[in-house]
Structure formats: C-alpha cells, structure tokens
Amino acid sequence: MVELPPITPSDFFSDAVAREAGFTDQFWYRAYILYLDELARDPSRSFAKYDIERTLRIPFQRGYVDVLVRAQPEPREERVLRFTAFPAGDEPGIRRVSRVYRYEETRPVLGEAALLDAGWRW
C-alpha cells in the first residue's frame, strides 16, 4: 500500500479573490480539520456522509465566516473538496449553505479554495 504524506496547508489551492481578502492556506487547512471533526461526529456508517455538504463557522479577522465544504460533483478518479467562504451574518447559529448556493444564497462569496486528491489521504 502506498502511503502518502499528510495534508498540509500548502496542499490547498485558492483563488485570487480569496487571497486578496486575506484567506491564507492556514485558514483553509483549519476549515479542513474542522470538516474532518464534523465527519468524525457523524454517526452514519455509510460512505454517503462524505458527499453531504457541510457548513462550518470559522473565526476570520475580527468576526466569523461560514464556509461551505463539499465534494466536487462526481469525482471519477480523485476526491476534490471545495471550500467557499461567506460572511457569517448576525444570526446566532450557522446558516446552512446549499451545494447549489449560486441559485439560493444572497450573501456574497468572499473566496474559494480546493483540496485536490483528498480521497487518497483519508
């Protein structure tokens, strides 16, 4: 069995908008670790839980952002995780973001990142 090195902050690819807004590789790595924690708390024994989008609230600068984490639709060979950050808003709880956020979400996208080949490392 081939053992790959662990995922590090340098494994994340982010867009220019995210970098200009101050989202670092460390931020996306933190989102990934929180995503893994959510998966670990999910009692489902089905592999389908890896395909369910999840929204995480993460401290950022002087406030919070909500980060949508989802597997890229139909990854045929590699699992690609996509991360999209939104302003958190004033509501006390996390406002879940749908996979099809472009049609339903009124908050602007602050930045995006991706983790390629994530499935090989789980």
Side-chain angles (χ1 to χ4, degrees), residues 88-99:
D90 296 332
E91 59 269 356
I94 297 173
R95 189 166 100 193
R96 299 288 173 198
V97 182
S98 167
R99 174 180 295 279

Side-chain angles (χ1 to χ4, degrees), residues 36-52:
L36 292 180
D37 290 345
E38 284 251 339
L39 286 176
R41 286 193 298 273
D42 188 330
S44 172
R45 298 178 57 90
S46 169
F47 283 111
K49 73 180 181 179
Y50 295 102
D51 294 327
I52 298 170

Side-chain angles (χ1 to χ4, degrees), residues 56-101:
L56 311 166
R57 181 152 291 173
I58 302 174
F60 178 69
Q61 295 178 346
R62 292 180 184 87
Y64 291 90
V65 294
D66 289 340
V67 177
L68 168 64
V69 183
R70 68 212 181 275
Q72 183 169 315
E74 299 188 37
R76 300 288 180 185
E77 296 178 19
E78 296 90 13
R79 179 173 285 289
V80 176
L81 289 180
R82 306 240 352 193
F83 300 81
T84 306
F86 300 89
D90 296 332
E91 59 269 356
I94 297 173
R95 189 166 100 193
R96 299 288 173 198
V97 182
S98 167
R99 174 180 295 279
V100 291
Y101 66 89

